[in-house]
Amino acid sequence: MSALVCALAPLVLAGVLGPAGAGKLFGRGTARQASRTALARLLRDGGRAALALRTLGAVELLLAAALLAPPVTPLPGAAAALLGAGFLGYLGYARAAAPGSSCGCTARPDTPLTWRSFARAAAVLAGGAAAALAQQPWWAAAARRPAAALCLVLAAAAALTALSADPDRRWRMPLRRLRLRITGHPLAATGGRTAVPVAATVELLERSRAWQSVSRVVRSALLDHWDDGGWRILQFAGVYGGGPAARPVLVLFAVDAGASLDTVREPAVRVSVIDADSGAPVMATA
Amino acid sequence: MSAYRTGTPLDRRRFLTTAALHGATVVGATALGAVDADAAFAAPIRPLDPAVAESAFAEGRITAINDDVLAVAGSYGDHSRVRVTGATSVWKARATTAADIETGDGLYARGVPLPDGTLAADAVWVNIVNLDATIRGIEKTRLHLAHGHHEIVGNLMAETTSAAYGTASPTADLSRLTIGQSAQVLGAWRPSDGSVDLVRVTVAPGAGRRR
């Protein structure tokens, strides 16, 4: 099995390095991307970073081509392992020097530095080491044990996809969408809810004349709320009067618990201002 | 007035309900500034009463709680002390009390500066976050959100989480949220695990027709 893994490693590695190299070498966004990578900081120049990225892309493409050729020498595998080790070192530097930067490792325009970046680099290192140990061409090994080879390649592809820069966008989101289509919307039960959320009541209150009539008294945001007999009571704290005569009050609004801006434009709101200490009404608001 | 001062919370609410329903009825509509959770992100409210000192504002992480005074370390290295009273509104995903405030929480506070250097808070919003996100997954009890490069778990709260579709009022109907939608998310961040308790998810007009 391990011989098969070593034999197929060049194929999988070429599949990883080829597209990444082509993206860096021929991608139109490479120059723009380079300025956002930690490489720009390392080389102190965005232009130099872009050149370095394109050169790296060319090296990756050459390595991919060499890996697909018959394994007459372990050099391509060793070079890929060296490249993986270099990636790991660079990522370590980038993490320390510019944690918010893009890693620039794949052909994607903006790839954040995450544990996946390190795992991808480690996979290149391990794949390179395995490819260096390959004793037979990958096509010969695959022809000898096609089923096992297919399973291995598929497993490697799945693992590499999971390690891809944006797994959510690439496979998790489509899978979740599919699941929702098959099993239905997990929140479908909320579609029948008719109760008006407190947020909608507060929105209605804030646009009412009742609010305007006492807004100079109100100081707090919503202190408390509860429903009682079809009414929704909203309680605020405030200060009535100025200077030495100022006293703390509670401002109470009673709004139809089933009303919102969608159903009523001019709500009837009952307003009451009471002394916070005695509970006696202190102000006529009409 | 005994029920008002010394009764159980239920008695107190009953008393206040009666007081509220005996108040003047005002009909009419006009557009005004907000004092709900959104107000935490609005400019400080300038009181209309000239006798009141202009509102001050404090923000940061709570480093210590001494009785009713919160020691707050601001985002820019400043320090402030925020005094919470019985008249201070406390928002922590919902209207609650000062007992729910914990060391390590983040806070925004609006209030009046006192001579002793503290800020007498009229309103505090604890762990409030307001961010642009993309919905990347929907489950029965949570949403998976992406904010920039960050993946955030949004906890759905029964009775509290609402959705606003376009300019319509917030509704408890969350069934029109779809994967891939851009959303403005208002909620309370949980310092313990980095997730967000979702209060309101606002998606673009016309959203939710497609499944």
Side-chain angles (χ1 to χ4, degrees):
Chain A
M1 190 66 176
S2 62
L4 184 65
V5 171
C6 289
L8 291 174
L11 175 66
V12 176
L13 204 50
V16 174
L17 293 176
K24 288 194 194 79
L25 184 59
F26 304 115
R28 278 180 297 179
T30 300
R32 197 161 23 91
Q33 176 197 356
S35 60
R36 287 202 298 265
T37 62
L39 201 60
R41 188 171 172 143
L42 183 65
L43 300 173
R44 292 188 175 77
D45 179 45
R48 275 201 291 249
L51 184 66
L53 271 185
R54 289 199 194 282
T55 308
L56 178 64
V59 168
E60 285 176 334
L61 266 179
L62 282 172
L63 266 181
L67 285 163
L68 290 174
V72 288
T73 162
L75 272 181
L82 201 63
L83 191 68
F87 282 158
L88 278 173
Y90 161 71
L91 287 170
Y93 160 80
R95 184 93 192 197
S101 65
S102 160
C103 71
C105 16
T106 61
R108 290 182 60 80
D110 194 11
T111 310
L113 273 175
T114 61
W115 65 269
R116 286 193 180 90
S117 317
F118 286 88
R120 278 197 303 275
V124 170
L125 172 59
L133 298 173
Q135 300 294 321
Q136 54 182 333
W138 55 267
W139 58 86
R144 199 167 298 135
R145 300 173 63 188
L150 183 67
C151 288
L152 257 177
V153 170
L154 286 177
L160 288 166
T161 307
L163 291 176
S164 66
D166 195 355
D168 256 14
R169 201 173 292 278
R170 285 194 179 189
W171 57 274
R172 218 181 281 166
M173 273 172 73
L175 277 180
R176 285 172 174 167
R177 274 205 184 97
L178 183 67
R179 196 183 67 194
L180 255 60
R181 282 195 183 283
I182 294 167
T183 62
H185 199 293
L187 304 173
T190 64
R193 284 188 194 165
T194 52
V196 173
V198 174
T201 310
V202 171
E203 180 185 69
L204 182 69
L205 173 69
E206 285 169 356
R207 283 158 180 75
S208 71
R209 198 175 296 283
W211 177 256
Q212 186 182 31
S213 70
V214 290
S215 60
R216 63 192 164 82
V217 174
V218 174
R219 291 277 182 273
S220 75
L222 186 63
L223 262 175
D224 197 7
H225 63 86
W226 59 94
D227 289 10
D228 193 322
W231 291 98
R232 180 159 290 166
I233 313 296
L234 303 164
Q235 180 191 339
F236 294 80
V239 176
Y240 180 67
R247 40 184 179 152
V249 292
L250 295 182
V251 186
L252 298 157
F253 299 93
V255 188
D256 178 353
S260 75
L261 278 177
D262 290 345
T263 57
V264 59
R265 280 285 147 194
E266 300 201 349
V269 182
R270 294 191 177 182
V271 189
S272 188
V273 180
I274 64 171
D275 189 287
D277 294 323
S278 67
V282 295
M283 172 177 157
T285 51
Chain B
M1 295 305 156
S2 58
Y4 172 68
R5 292 303 297 165
T6 59
T8 64
L10 196 65
D11 290 337
R12 183 175 159 82
R13 278 186 171 182
R14 201 165 288 142
F15 174 88
L16 292 175
T17 299
T18 308
L21 295 179
H22 279 95
T25 301
V26 183
V27 184
T30 180
L32 287 149
V35 290
D36 59 3
D38 290 326
F41 298 97
I45 295 169
R46 188 186 295 266
L48 302 179
D49 185 346
V52 177
E54 192 160 324
S55 290
F57 203 68
E59 62 80 37
R61 293 287 292 272
I62 298 166
T63 54
I65 302 175
N66 304 312
D67 296 331
D68 58 349
V69 176
L70 314 174
V72 179
S75 305
Y76 304 100
D78 51 320
H79 291 269
S80 48
R81 288 181 300 140
V82 176
R83 188 176 297 278
V84 179
T85 70
T88 306
S89 63
V90 178
W91 181 99
K92 194 174 182 180
R94 55 175 69 85
T96 182
T97 63
D100 277 345
I101 303 177
E102 296 168 359
T103 303
D105 282 342
L107 124 161
Y108 284 92
R110 194 191 72 226
V112 179
L114 296 182
D116 66 356
T118 59
L119 178 80
D122 290 324
V124 299
W125 291 270
V126 180
N127 292 335
I128 190 165
V129 290
N130 188 4
L131 41 91
D132 288 317
T134 306
I135 299 174
R136 289 198 164 182
I138 301 174
E139 294 174 14
K140 268 197 185 311
T141 58
R142 58 190 187 170
L143 300 182
H144 294 273
L145 304 163
H147 171 63
H149 293 315
H150 300 281
E151 290 178 25
I152 297 169
V153 171
N155 309 302
L156 297 167
M157 299 182 292
E159 312 297 321
T160 303
T161 305
S162 64
Y165 301 97
T167 53
S169 276
T171 167
D173 173 12
L174 307 177
S175 66
R176 287 179 279 156
L177 298 174
T178 58
I179 292 176
Q181 274 175 337
S182 293
Q184 186 72 27
V185 172
L186 179 78
W189 164 68
R190 282 191 201 173
S192 56
D193 62 5
S195 67
V196 171
D197 290 337
L198 299 174
V199 175
R200 196 173 60 223
V201 181
T202 305
V203 293
R209 290 181 191 158
R210 189 171 50 82
R211 278 286 297 277

